[in-house]
Every structure is written in structure tokens, then in C-alpha cells.
Amino acid sequence: MQNNRSLFKKYIAQSSDFEPFSLDIEKGEGVFVWDKAGKKYIDFISGICVNNVGHRHPAVIAAIEEQMRKYLHVMVYGEFIQQPQLDLAQALCAQLPERLQEVFLLNSGSEAIEGAIKLARLYNHRSQIVSFANSYHGSTMGAMSVLGNTPIQQRFDPLLPNHLLLEYNNVAALEHITDKTCCVVAEVIQSGGGMVEATQEFMQALRERCTQTGTLLIFDEIQSGFGRCGKLFAFEHYGVEPDILCLAKGMGGGMPIGAFIASHELMSLLDNEHPLMGHASTFGGHPLSCVASLAALNTILSLLPQVESKGQRIRRHLQELPQLRSVSGKGLFLAAHFNDPTATAKVQARCMENGFITFWLLFNHTALALTPPLTATEEEIDLGMEIFKKSVRQAGI
Ligand code: PMP
């Protein structure tokens, strides 16, 4: 497929300065994808935690097919009553605590972060925004402003002013959150850093500090949510609730959708005397995405009890590899850590040759993500992990 590869390079704006994988995809089903040459790959990356219910889950496909016969886009978000939006929002709120009971539907994670930050601004009119080193929250200007990597941000300066970056899991650093801080944006488990789990102590201290100072706590569960970590949302592991929850990726079962969720009281700040001028989105809560999302949610809820044991199964396989430095993460949100970036790149190249899809992490170049669909059976996990182990051994590291 050399021809398509050069067209891809020529016409599709590139997002990496190095050679992308350029898998020329023919189809996806369950935990597998096939390229146009007929080669089959087992997918242990799930489109970066999007395909939590696997590729083309039958419930998702059926929901889309039914909805597409009724209507597609009819009106900008928030003007017409659309049953798919209502059903989804109600189903989500039924799973969430009392302070998270109103849903703003969007198209992506970055947009959810933008909406959440704007809502926090309307709440306390403060300017300072705190986030943590090695966090990723999206690539729009507001989301990029709270990225946990200053050199990358500087390429786009000036971003939002008054951003303060703190060290993750450092309880003492939380004293820098004060009554001047508008909001804190935090991942519950940092993916880009290499599936770094927040400690219980840190999460609790963060919540307390935000409450004390009138600062809104925004959790970015765009990757860690929707069953990845063994509960619907990773924050449930900590017994600590955010004021605003941001979601996307796995939310759509393979369709584009995002949301931020808050209390009725907070959300009411967005409807004001200027219609559509609080936060607006033409395609937010697209009916096809909403029905897909509801089907995915129901599927994920039924899979939750299996996630932890499937994750443990992967960990048991990884114990056979002396080449590994460590394994981090929760549930099926895992990272395998090697000793250096060269070793990691060699393993990844072997994995691709052998038909196993994994991916590097944004801020940690010595780790590979292991995030298969939650629908992967034990046999499929074993199949994938045998290929992974073989690839590590062949890499000669
Ligand atoms: N937050 C996190 C934790 C993410 O992983 C991502 C996407 N990688 C985003 C935000 C941004 O989401 P999107 O690409 O849908 O805008």
C-alpha cells in the first residue's frame, strides 16, 4: 500500500515529526483490526482508550443504525429536545454523585476541558489555574494552557495567563492552591506520564485544599474513565469527588463525543442574558454519538466486574519478562516500563511486526501502554500477551 502511504503523507496534515505507524486500515472488529494487505493485529491500545467496548460493538452498531433512520443533526446543542441526549445524560447522572447531575454534551475531550475552565471562571472570577506536571488535557488553547510541560507550551505562547504547574502526588505543593486559585485541573491517573496513579493521601488533600480555598476541582477522566480502571470512573477508587468532571474518548464507543458534568447550581452560570454565549457547540451531543455512547455505557457497566481480573491477568504475563523495570496503572489502564527509550522503541517495532498494537506515552518514553478493549476475553488477553512477550524477547534488549 505504498501508494496510500504517500497520499497520506501528502494530503493528511501530519501530527508527528517522525514516521507514523501508517497502518492502512481495512476493518476493525472486537479486539482486532486488519490492514489492507489482510494482516491481522490484536489491538492493545484501543485507539488510545476510545474503543473500551472493542471495535464495532454490536450494541453500538445497532443503536447507530436505528438512530440514523430517524434523524442526524437537527439543531445546535441545547435548542431542541433530542431523546438520545436526554437518555444518555440521565443514564450518566444515575451513575454519578449528587454534585454531578447536569451534563453539557460536546464533541471531544479538549472541548470538555475548555467548558470546565470557563465554568470555573464564571463561578469565582479568579484567574489562576493550577495543573500538574506531565498532565495532558487537550490541544485547544485553553487546554494547552494547562498542559503539564512548559517547553511544549512555550511554542504557543501567549496562552492563558496565570497558570501554575505543581508536582503530581506532592501533598506539600498543594499549599500553592490559595483563595486566588480559580480551579485545579487534574487527571486521576496520569496517562501521558506513564499511568501514574494519584495516591490516596494526595487525592484527599487536593479535595480538601480546593474546598478550603473555594477553588473548583476539575477531574479529567477523558482517558481513565468509562471502565478503564475497573470502576466507571477512576475517582470512585478514592472516594473523592470533583466539582466538574470531564469525559470523552471511551464515552462514545468509537464515536466522537465529550462532556463536562457539574451541579445544577454551577451549570446555571452558563445560561445567561446572551443566548448561546456561555458555551455553545453546533454538533455537541450529536444524536448518533449519543446513542452509541448509551450503548457503550450499558456494555461497560456489565463489564466492570471483570476489568480488575483481566488487568491482573496481563500483569501475570508481564512478570515473566525480566526485561521490564515495572508495571503501573489500574485495571486495564496499564503501562509496561522498560529501562530506556531505545529498548522501548525496539519492542514497539517488534510488536507491530508481530501484529500487536501498543503505543508510546506522551511524556514518558520508556513505557508502552497496554490498554486493550474491556471486552477482550481471557483467551484474547493471553493471545495478545504471548505476542507481546515474544516481541520483547525478539527485541534483544
Ligand atoms: N485529556 C486527556 C487525559 C487525554 O488523554 C486527551 C486526549 N488524548 C484529552 C484530554 C483531549 O481529548 P481530545 O483529543 O478528544 O480533545
Side-chain angles (χ1 to χ4, degrees), residues 249-265:
K249 286 194 182 271
M251 180 177 182
M255 293 290 281
I257 190 165
F260 63 101
I261 305 181
S263 65
H264 298 300
E265 183 201 349

Side-chain angles (χ1 to χ4, degrees), residues 48 108-111 113 136-138 187 191 220 222-223 248-249:
I48 320 272
S108 68
S110 300
E111 286 172 274
I113 297 287
Y136 180 79
H137 300 296
E187 285 173 275
S191 52
D220 175 344
I222 288 163
Q223 249 190 87
K249 286 194 182 271

